[in-house]
Amino acid sequence: MSSHQTVALDDASLARYAPSVFAEHPYHEVSDRYGFIPTIRVIEALRGEGWKLVSAAEQRVRIEDKRGFTKHLIRFRHVDAKPVLGDVYPEIVLINSHDRSSAYTVEAGLIRFACMNGLIVSDGSFGGFSVYHSQKDIVGRVLEGTCNIVREIPQIAGKVEQMHAVKLAREEQEAFAASAQMLRWEERTPVTSDQLLRIRRGADTSDDLWTVYNRVQENLLRGGMRGVNARGRRMKVRAVKSINEDTRINRALWALAEKMAMLKAA
């Protein structure tokens, strides 16, 4: 996976991080109804609308002949993007594959430059959408849907500001972290709530919901913590590198933060 960039990724870098973007035909097992549009065509269209490509990743393959067709995730930031809060900027997240594992999916994202965390806003909250490969005018539909998401950015900014205004007592932070644990580990968790609340930098000492959410998200996905596995053995938690897991956890964690904000406002 590429790291987030302040300058746009060029095609050479894109080919290194997500070669399936440049597929010239779909995986051989797709049906005749599959309408193939290479991802690079959608990327070029978004670039033409002022969206610069800032990050790219591709799912690891288990079946070797799927290499070059598998799921990939591309993040874009508009050249005129303004922060929604401090060092937090809105982004667009594009997910696609050419092996039937994913439709064209576009969601809202946020990037906090202090930790380059790559948050994904819950698609149920702000109109994330999918365009299926059997549909016509895929490029046009993606561009139209992207415009619709952009119109939701003020609402996203409002959610961020709301979370920033919510103060959490220590026991509330621990409850939030404990719920977040279950998003990655359904049963025995190798780390404690305190570890997920670990402060990595001086800018993250605040006890507001937005900061706590960011701390937990970073620790949950980046790993690096020492813990004990289900067999009672010491272990080091690995970073989440799967696109499927990264997006699933990110969406659920945003929804969890929204729920905490609502509970505090009640």
Side-chain angles (χ1 to χ4, degrees), residues 74-237:
I74 314 296
R75 297 182 72 107
F76 300 85
R77 192 178 315 127
H78 201 273
V79 293
D80 297 325
K82 300 292 190 295
V84 298
L85 176 73
D87 59 354
V88 181
Y89 283 77
E91 293 186 341
I92 293 295
V93 182
L94 172 69
I95 301 172
N96 186 40
S97 79
H98 297 303
D99 64 356
R100 299 177 304 187
S101 62
S102 175
Y104 274 99
T105 301
V106 182
E107 302 178 53
L110 296 170
I111 179 67
R112 180 176 173 235
F113 283 105
C115 55
M116 303 296 263
N117 55 357
L119 296 166
I120 296 177
V121 176
S122 174
D123 56 350
S125 301
F126 295 101
F129 69 95
S130 296
V131 180
Y132 296 99
H133 291 276
S134 58
Q135 293 179 275
K136 296 180 179 179
D137 189 21
I138 289 175
V139 175
R141 288 174 182 267
V142 169
L143 290 178
E144 180 183 1
T146 299
C147 290
N148 291 336
I149 290 178
V150 169
R151 284 193 282 269
E152 302 287 345
I153 288 176
Q155 286 183 255
I156 296 173
K159 290 282 187 179
V160 172
E161 290 173 355
Q162 180 185 9
M163 293 180 192
H164 186 62
V166 172
K167 301 298 181 182
L168 298 181
R170 182 64 190 185
E171 58 269 24
E172 292 171 324
Q173 295 180 38
E174 291 172 352
F176 180 82
S179 296
Q181 283 178 308
M182 304 307 294
L183 300 180
R184 181 169 177 181
W185 300 284
E186 293 182 359
E187 298 179 359
R188 181 185 173 92
T189 61
V191 296
T192 65
S193 298
D194 283 344
Q195 286 175 288
L196 289 186
L197 292 168
R198 172 192 164 197
I199 298 171
R200 292 180 181 242
R201 59 190 62 82
D204 289 344
T205 58
S206 176
D207 59 0
D208 63 90
L209 173 57
W210 173 249
T211 303
V212 170
Y213 163 48
N214 275 266
R215 291 206 313 259
V216 169
Q217 187 260 8
E218 184 176 9
N219 289 321
L220 195 65
L221 294 179
R222 289 195 179 182
M225 300 163 288
R226 297 286 179 180
V228 179
N229 65 19
R231 297 179 180 178
R233 295 178 180 175
R234 298 290 297 175
M235 60 168 287
K236 184 177 182 180
V237 177

Side-chain angles (χ1 to χ4, degrees), residues 38-51:
T39 306
I40 189 60
R41 278 187 54 187
V42 177
I43 290 173
E44 289 170 347
L46 287 167
R47 282 170 168 166
E49 297 295 321
W51 292 93

